[in-house]
Amino acid sequence: MSGVIRTVSVTRRAVVVADGFWRRRTGLIVPALMLVIGLALVVGTVTMRVPDTATSPGPQVFPAIVAALVLIVAVLLAIDVLRKPEAATVEIAQPAAPGDVDDLDLDGEPVERRPTSNHRALLGALGTVVVFIAALTPLGWLLAGAVLFWGIARSLGSQRPVFDIFLALAISSIVQLAFSAGLGLNLPPGILEGIF
């Protein structure tokens, strides 16, 4: 192997990708989902049963802050998508030289490459959340939370699994301390009951 990285010169051309109001604003799906999540957090926070022994500021403060942030970000994101919708045309790269066969289809025509969704990352994140929900009670927050942080990091492309394990354990431990020492609440101990 020579160690030389092959470079490909490209030109760009404009391609019409979509028309109509909603086809150019598919990005509104994300703020819509965030709005639903934020409203669910509000309902959960308002209907939360607060034990009489809970000390100030109480267990409703942190979920209320998160709900407010989610709703604010959803509104700001929606405004941004409405103000700056997807362009009616996008530029795509195509090989400038005829010998650049990697970007040609079987007929020798340039392959149009558009940004696509990262389904692998999305499915990985969703699977991690499902595992976290299922494991929270039996494993407890410390371990289930570490699995959550580790799985999300891997789904988003982290390539350092061992480092991520220690980082995930550190983050879940910090959250555990924040809830127990800061809010006077105990997260589910799971199999570590009696230790934490």
Side-chain angles (χ1 to χ4, degrees):
M1 177 174 274
S2 65
V4 176
I5 299 175
R6 180 172 176 248
T7 60
V8 177
S9 60
V10 297
T11 60
R12 297 185 177 276
R13 66 186 177 99
V15 174
V16 177
V17 294
D19 57 355
F21 179 84
W22 292 110
R23 293 198 62 177
R24 295 178 54 207
R25 289 170 176 84
T26 54
L28 289 172
I29 293 173
V30 174
L33 289 174
M34 292 179 68
L35 183 65
V36 171
I37 293 171
L39 293 175
L41 286 172
V42 169
V43 172
T45 302
V46 171
T47 59
M48 181 185 297
R49 286 184 294 173
V50 180
D52 296 335
T53 57
T55 59
S56 181
Q60 292 175 306
V61 172
F62 186 71
I65 293 172
V66 172
L69 290 176
V70 169
L71 292 175
I72 290 171
V73 172
V75 170
L76 293 177
L77 191 56
I79 292 173
D80 185 60
V81 173
L82 290 172
R83 290 184 60 202
K84 294 181 274 184
E86 180 183 347
T89 59
V90 296
E91 288 186 348
I92 60 171
Q94 59 184 3
D100 297 332
V101 295
D102 291 344
D103 291 330
L104 300 177
D105 62 13
L106 295 177
D107 298 328
E109 296 295 322
V111 177
E112 296 182 359
R113 300 188 187 283
R114 296 188 55 208
T116 58
S117 300
N118 190 341
H119 296 107
R120 182 169 177 248
L122 177 62
L123 292 176
L126 286 176
T128 300
V129 172
V130 170
V131 170
F132 166 72
I133 293 171
L136 181 59
T137 301
L139 289 183
W141 162 258
L142 196 61
L143 297 177
V147 169
L148 175 67
F149 294 122
W150 183 84
I152 295 295
R154 296 288 295 169
S155 299
L156 295 179
S158 175
Q159 300 295 320
R160 300 182 296 176
V162 176
F163 173 79
D164 292 340
I165 289 173
F166 288 104
L167 183 62
L169 284 170
I171 293 174
S172 63
S173 299
I174 290 171
V175 173
Q176 175 93 31
L177 289 174
F179 268 79
S180 60
L183 300 175
L185 296 172
N186 293 321
L187 295 174
I191 60 175
L192 299 177
E193 187 171 9
I195 300 176
F196 294 100

